[in-house]
Amino acid sequence: MGGDLFGQLVPQARPSAIQAEYLLQHRDCPEPSDIVFTLARAFEIQVRDGWLKSFADYLLENGVWDYPEDQKYKTVLHHGTFCGEYLTLGEMKKLADTNCSRLNEYCAKCGSELKKVRTALRRVVEFRNQAAHQGCLSFALAQQLRNDWLGQS
């Protein structure tokens, strides 16, 4: 992982990113799925503590104290308090998949392409779940996923 990218991670995501890189350096890694799972963990923390927290701050700046309004999604803001730390990667994906005008406004304001965020979340969730629950990912696939997720393909 390049220093520029590593420096952009929220501090809480860095240990998982380091661990994934460490595992990747060992071609004899006993379980390559651990590489994918650990890198997905770094991604989850980055999305939650970076992007989602920033979105919550944007909502508060715009007078929104409770989000989302639809109760079928997990709460991000409740009476002005950030509750996103309780969201899983899959729940964040569901939230990003909603067609919410506030989310679209936020992404336009901060320069995030919502389509890319959704695609990244979908791909990471798919392989994270496979790594966590099924294992059996090859080292080559783990390396390919890492490169894809970091934009180094």
Side-chain angles (χ1 to χ4, degrees):
M1 179 177 298
D4 291 341
L5 181 59
F6 183 79
Q8 293 175 23
L9 293 175
V10 295
Q12 303 88 325
R14 292 176 183 168
S16 292
I18 290 169
Q19 183 179 5
E21 289 296 303
Y22 175 80
L23 291 169
L24 190 68
Q25 299 307 311
H26 297 85
R27 286 187 133 347
D28 60 345
C29 178
E31 184 51 67
S33 297
D34 291 346
I35 298 166
V36 174
F37 181 79
T38 306
L39 191 57
R41 175 76 177 132
F43 182 79
E44 176 180 23
I45 294 166
Q46 181 66 28
V47 170
R48 185 186 54 237
D49 295 355
W51 187 75
L52 191 61
K53 177 71 170 98
S54 179
F55 176 51
D57 291 343
Y58 169 81
L59 292 170
L60 288 171
E61 290 167 9
N62 287 279
V64 177
W65 290 85
D66 295 289
Y67 185 86
E69 295 169 359
D70 189 337
Q71 294 302 313
K72 71 180 180 180
Y73 300 104
K74 294 283 186 159
T75 302
V76 174
L77 278 175
H78 181 69
H79 301 306
T81 300
F82 180 66
C83 302
E85 66 265 26
Y86 304 111
L87 271 67
T88 65
L89 194 57
E91 291 164 342
M92 288 184 269
K93 178 197 165 297
K94 288 177 188 173
L95 193 63
D97 284 343
T98 63
N99 192 16
C100 169
S101 61
R102 295 213 184 262
L103 184 57
N104 290 322
E105 291 166 11
Y106 167 73
C107 287
K109 177 186 175 273
C110 74
S112 294
E113 290 184 48
L114 187 53
K115 183 178 179 180
K116 285 185 177 181
V117 171
R118 288 173 173 155
T119 300
L121 281 165
R122 180 178 34 82
R123 236 172 110 69
V124 172
V125 166
E126 172 188 355
F127 284 101
R128 178 248 173 240
N129 288 345
Q130 187 177 342
H133 302 294
Q134 298 169 358
C136 304
L137 298 178
S138 69
F139 184 85
L141 178 58
Q143 190 169 33
Q144 177 190 344
L145 290 170
R146 178 254 186 217
N147 291 342
D148 288 350
W149 294 352
L150 299 180
Q152 298 177 353
S153 300

